[in-house]
């Protein structure tokens, strides 16, 4: 489904990703793990078109995303739950959700998708007219995920979805990831809670200093001494 090949990304003259190649199949959850500064968020933002690749390709079902303008990546089937949520705090919950459904296919199926989001997050239905900025941290993360799902993506990028959340809300977030996978949507997950990320993933990649250092089955990688040293701290 997604194929990233020999991807190089720079910030000015500083190289952040070096020849990164990876893949995600349909319906998979794939984690990218690594220490802070390894380039995980850079990879997510490059796939989304927020950052431009210097070289390499990003292909989604035959569409080369690196050739698209950034704002067209969503229409091609990719949506992002960004680190820090990045909601519109002075707009209502309903309006934030509506903004996720801006491409034509999403607009045409808006009512159906809203029902699905409300089924995943009943609190969003209860707080439809409430300003997004007045929600709790957990509710804001639910809204960020719901807004991304409103675009009806085939690939969902999630950048640190559990950051700053209470443990009970973290459980809800990972339950949603399971539900998203069950619906046939692929998920690329960057997550500080590495053990939980590997538990919910099919496969994983270890990113070190902008390079892929290891890849494999998530369960095997969770037990690998190098992974445990690099990102679990044991």
């Amino acid at each position: 489904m997604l194929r990233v090949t020999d991807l190089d990304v720079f910030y000015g003259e500083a190289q952040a990703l070096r020849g990164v190649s990876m893949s995600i199949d349909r319906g998979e959850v794939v984690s990218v793990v690594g220490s802070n500064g390894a380039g995980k968020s850079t990879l997510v933002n490059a796939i989304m078109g927020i950052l431009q690749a210097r070289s390499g390709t990003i292909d989604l079902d035959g569409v080369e995303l690196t050739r698209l303008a950034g704002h067209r990546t969503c229409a091609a089937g990719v949506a992002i739950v960004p680190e820090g949520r990045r909601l519109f705090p002075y707009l209502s919950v309903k309006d934030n959700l509506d903004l996720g459904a801006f491409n034509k296919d999403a607009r045409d199926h808006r009512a159906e998708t809203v029902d699905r989001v409300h089924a995943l997050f009943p609190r969003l239905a209860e707080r439809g007219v409430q300003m997004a900025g007045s929600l709790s941290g957990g509710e804001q993360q639910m809204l960020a995920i719901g807004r991304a799902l409103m675009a009806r993506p085939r690939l969902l990028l999630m950048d640190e979805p559990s950051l700053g959340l209470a443990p009970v809300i973290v459980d809800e977030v990972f339950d949603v990831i399971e539900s998203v996978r069950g619906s046939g949507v692929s998920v690329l997950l960057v997550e500080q809670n590495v053990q939980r990320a590997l538990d919910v993933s099919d496969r994983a990649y270890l990113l070190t200093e902008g390079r892929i250092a290891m890849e494999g089955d998530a369960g095997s990688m969770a037990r690998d001494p190098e992974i445990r040293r690099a990102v679990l701290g044991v």
Side-chain angles (χ1 to χ4, degrees):
M1 180 185 182
L2 178 77
R3 297 290 181 270
V4 177
T5 306
D6 294 331
L7 190 69
D8 291 335
V9 176
F10 287 73
Y11 292 99
E13 296 304 312
Q15 190 165 5
L17 295 180
R18 303 170 182 271
V20 169
S21 296
M22 61 166 297
S23 65
I24 303 174
D25 292 330
R26 193 172 306 281
E28 273 195 315
V29 176
V30 173
S31 283
V32 177
V33 300
S35 60
N36 289 339
K40 304 183 300 296
S41 292
T42 299
L43 175 59
V44 167
N45 288 331
I47 294 170
M48 193 67 219
I50 297 169
L51 293 175
Q52 186 173 10
R54 179 79 59 90
S55 61
T57 60
I58 304 169
D59 182 280
L60 181 70
D61 286 336
V63 176
E64 191 174 333
L65 300 183
T66 45
R67 294 182 179 274
L68 296 181
H71 68 280
R72 297 193 180 277
T73 304
C74 186
V78 186
I80 187 171
V81 181
E83 182 179 0
R85 301 154 198 159
R86 300 187 186 178
L87 301 172
F88 295 92
Y90 299 110
L91 296 181
S92 69
V93 167
K94 177 183 178 299
D95 288 342
N96 271 270
L97 290 177
D98 285 345
L99 287 169
F102 73 92
N103 68 66
K104 184 179 185 306
D105 178 67
R107 288 196 305 271
D108 289 346
H109 295 87
R110 181 194 167 282
E112 172 190 340
T113 312
V114 165
D115 288 344
R116 179 184 170 211
V117 169
H118 286 169
L120 285 171
F121 302 118
R123 272 172 281 183
L124 297 184
E126 298 167 2
R127 290 161 171 73
V129 299
Q130 190 170 332
M131 296 298 102
S134 68
L135 300 176
S136 69
E139 290 166 344
Q140 289 187 17
Q141 188 61 277
M142 294 174 192
L143 180 55
I145 296 171
R147 180 181 61 184
L149 292 175
M150 288 296 297
R152 298 174 62 84
R154 288 174 288 148
L155 173 64
L156 182 64
L157 311 175
M158 304 187 77
D159 193 357
E160 302 287 7
S162 79
L163 186 65
L165 301 182
V168 65
I169 305 300
V170 171
D171 290 341
E172 289 188 38
V173 168
F174 279 93
D175 286 345
V176 168
I177 293 172
E178 294 274 18
S179 297
V180 169
R181 175 186 24 208
S183 71
V185 176
S186 303
V187 178
L188 176 61
L189 177 62
V190 168
E191 171 54 53
Q192 60 166 352
N193 190 333
V194 174
Q195 189 62 63
R196 290 295 300 270
L198 294 176
D199 286 346
V200 79
S201 296
D202 300 293
R203 295 186 298 111
Y205 292 85
L206 173 63
L207 197 59
T208 303
E209 296 181 349
R211 301 180 187 273
I212 298 293
M214 185 184 299
E215 62 181 280
D217 170 81
S220 299
M221 289 185 70
R223 298 186 295 273
D224 189 282
E226 183 175 345
I227 297 288
R228 295 173 69 80
R229 284 194 303 270
V231 294
L232 297 180
V234 294

